[in-house]
Amino acid sequence: MMKMHSHDTARAALRLFRTLLHQQLHSVGIIGAPFCRGQQRDGVQHGPDVIRAAGLVRKLEDQGCRVKDYGNLKFEEVTNDQPIGRPKTPRAVGLANKQVADAVQKIKKDGHTCVMLGGDHSLAIGSIHGHAACRPELSVVWVDAHADINTPLTTPTGNIHGQPMSYLIHELHDKIPVLPNFSWIQPCVEAKDIVYIGLRDVDPEEHYILKYLGIKTFSMTEVDRLGIAQVMEQTCDHVFSKIKKPIHLSFDIDALDPSLAPATGTPVTGGLTYREGVYITEHLCQTGLLSAIDLVEVNPKQATRDEEIKLTASVAVDLLLGCFGRVREGSHGADYKIPEP
Ligand SMILES: [Mn+2]
């Protein structure tokens, strides 16, 4: 019996060694950010729990990831949060994003690839800021129907989830007025290190900013013209022009077509297909440089039926699985052998 045991242990160790040798072992740190004050629609604060309920942690573990779920952040209610000019609820947004930045920074220091579950897209301010504190050379791949690059002075709605990029880009720093609870935010990304994919609802002011800064964009027109494989090849050519940089993927679920992701606050028809969305994540995973990911704007209260919530959440999970090694051709353990009779 003793012999059997040590033999089994040795085999298990060998199997683990081979797994480590042949497969990239992903270490994932998840933080939930149940926050909705960057926009006006209630419900997006339930995004993290809805995505977890679709089996995110178990499915990541099933494909060989080590997962640490850091739980949900708790955000204080902010009273008397009057607009400052156009931006609405700036104090709550500034405060929540500081917490997100600190949490993401901790997860990066702990050695994980960070997954931030939103919440609305204003949370990218904190997520990218916290990531950049550890990896200042990062590049950003922003997958979204919208550019979210309005400044506090150009925003037509005042919703800060339409503005996060403007606070983060060096070249826009002198266009950003002082807002309460925003003083900790320093620009941390250069325009040349940003790529947009999936755009199809861009305000005129945003369009000007994108052109003025020369930011690389693949609108749905380019996705149609080039195909998603070429889009991803050009995306990586652009962000890795000189050195290999860690990638921050900020994925707004509304980049996908509303038929796939109906449970979201600002759906826009004509979006990415399931296959295009998953291809983006597979391609970025294969670079080995994905360092932090946002999955935002899943809003169960925007669904009209329960099935719409389930569909949106399961698509969100599939995108995250793609970020961590799931490939559609399937896979097998390095020591698998066909059983012999
Ligand atoms: Mn967005």
Side-chain angles (χ1 to χ4, degrees), residues 57-93:
V57 172
R58 179 182 52 78
K59 289 176 179 175
L60 282 170
E61 286 172 346
D62 283 352
Q63 66 184 42
C65 298
R66 276 189 294 129
V67 183
K68 179 167 179 187
D69 190 345
Y70 289 73
N72 284 347
L73 292 168
K74 289 190 177 59
F75 300 115
E76 284 173 43
E77 276 300 316
V78 178
T79 50
N80 292 324
D81 200 358
Q82 298 308 312
I84 302 288
R86 293 184 182 180
K88 292 168 179 158
T89 57
R91 295 162 195 82
V93 173

Side-chain angles (χ1 to χ4, degrees), residues 8 48 139-140 220 265 272 329-330:
D8 285 352
S139 57
V140 175
M220 287 310 297
L272 296 170
E329 71 162 53

Side-chain angles (χ1 to χ4, degrees), residues 275-293:
R275 283 155 55 182
E276 288 165 341
V278 167
Y279 189 91
I280 291 170
T281 62
E282 286 176 345
H283 191 94
L284 293 178
C285 176
Q286 279 168 17
T287 66
L289 292 161
L290 254 184
S291 177
I293 300 150

Side-chain angles (χ1 to χ4, degrees), residues 24 27 101 104-114 126-140 168 170 186-190 193 240 243-249 287-293:
Q24 201 186 353
S27 169
V104 169
Q105 199 174 339
K106 163 140 182 54
I107 292 171
K108 287 311 298 172
K109 279 186 179 153
D110 288 351
H112 305 290
T113 300
C114 182
S127 181
I128 292 174
H129 203 282
H131 187 193
C134 297
R135 306 300 305 270
E137 74 281 26
L138 64 79
S139 57
V140 175
L168 299 168
H170 289 286
Q186 291 299 318
C188 48
V189 189
E190 285 179 50
D193 295 322
F240 302 147
I243 49 160
K244 299 271 180 193
K245 298 170 184 169
I247 298 173
H248 187 109
L249 170 62
T287 66
L289 292 161
L290 254 184
S291 177
I293 300 150

Side-chain angles (χ1 to χ4, degrees), residues 26 47 52 54 68 81 90 92 104 113 117 141 143 169 175 201 214 259 269:
H26 295 281
R52 283 195 189 87
K68 179 167 179 187
D81 200 358
V104 169
T113 300
L117 304 175
V141 177
V143 185
I169 298 174
K175 306 284 193 282
D201 183 9
S259 58
T269 197

Side-chain angles (χ1 to χ4, degrees), residues 121 142 144 146 148 161 252 254 296-297:
H121 217 164
W142 193 279
D144 199 326
H146 314 90
D148 296 354
H161 80 153
D252 188 324
D254 73 25
V296 297
E297 299 282 357

Side-chain angles (χ1 to χ4, degrees), residues 20-311:
L20 288 168
L21 199 66
H22 291 283
Q23 297 173 343
Q24 201 186 353
L25 192 65
H26 295 281
S27 169
V28 187
I30 299 172
I31 184 70
F35 183 76
C36 64
R37 299 271 175 247
Q39 45 88 65
Q40 304 301 306
R41 291 183 173 89
D42 184 49
V44 74
Q45 70 273 24
H46 301 301
D49 291 339
V50 164
I51 296 169
R52 283 195 189 87
L56 175 62
V57 172
R58 179 182 52 78
K59 289 176 179 175
L60 282 170
E61 286 172 346
D62 283 352
Q63 66 184 42
C65 298
R66 276 189 294 129
V67 183
K68 179 167 179 187
D69 190 345
Y70 289 73
N72 284 347
L73 292 168
K74 289 190 177 59
F75 300 115
E76 284 173 43
E77 276 300 316
V78 178
T79 50
N80 292 324
D81 200 358
Q82 298 308 312
I84 302 288
R86 293 184 182 180
K88 292 168 179 158
T89 57
R91 295 162 195 82
V93 173
L95 197 63
N97 271 286
K98 180 72 173 78
Q99 289 176 251
V100 172
D102 292 345
V104 169
Q105 199 174 339
K106 163 140 182 54
I107 292 171
K108 287 311 298 172
K109 279 186 179 153
D110 288 351
H112 305 290
T113 300
C114 182
V115 173
M116 189 278 288
L117 304 175
D120 70 62
H121 217 164
S122 72
L123 298 163
I125 299 170
S127 181
I128 292 174
H129 203 282
H131 187 193
C134 297
R135 306 300 305 270
E137 74 281 26
L138 64 79
S139 57
V140 175
V141 177
W142 193 279
V143 185
D144 199 326
H146 314 90
D148 296 354
I149 198 169
N150 271 297
T151 76
L153 303 177
T154 69
T155 170
T157 64
N159 296 326
I160 299 179
H161 80 153
Q163 311 167 29
M165 282 307 279
S166 76
Y167 301 97
L168 299 168
I169 298 174
H170 289 286
E171 290 91 332
L172 288 176
H173 190 47
D174 63 355
K175 306 284 193 282
I176 305 297
V178 177
L179 293 177
N181 290 352
F182 275 60
S183 60
W184 60 275
I185 300 168
Q186 291 299 318
C188 48
V189 189
E190 285 179 50
K192 68 173 174 50
D193 295 322
I194 302 164
V195 176
Y196 279 96
I197 302 171
L199 297 178
R200 58 194 183 279
D201 183 9
V202 177
D203 297 328
E205 298 84 353
E206 292 185 298
H207 189 259
Y208 179 85
I209 292 169
L210 291 170
K211 297 293 167 193
Y212 171 71
L213 298 180
I215 292 176
K216 188 77 175 168
T217 60
F218 296 97
S219 73
M220 287 310 297
T221 302
E222 279 74 45
V223 175
D224 285 340
R225 181 188 301 136
L226 300 169
I228 197 66
Q230 189 62 29
V231 165
M232 292 316 295
E233 215 162 290
Q234 291 187 18
T235 293
C236 289
D237 285 350
H238 185 82
V239 294
F240 302 147
S241 56
K242 292 197 182 71
I243 49 160
K244 299 271 180 193
K245 298 170 184 169
I247 298 173
H248 187 109
L249 170 62
S250 203
F251 206 122
D252 188 324
I253 199 73
D254 73 25
L256 300 177
D257 193 77
S259 58
L260 284 168
T264 192
T266 50
V268 188
T269 197
L272 296 170
T273 65
Y274 176 88
R275 283 155 55 182
E276 288 165 341
V278 167
Y279 189 91
I280 291 170
T281 62
E282 286 176 345
H283 191 94
L284 293 178
C285 176
Q286 279 168 17
T287 66
L289 292 161
L290 254 184
S291 177
I293 300 150
D294 311 323
L295 202 302
V296 297
E297 299 282 357
V298 172
N299 185 338
K301 290 199 177 172
Q302 289 296 305
T304 51
R305 292 173 294 117
D306 216 35
E307 292 75 53
E308 293 187 346
I309 302 174
K310 290 205 174 102
L311 174 63

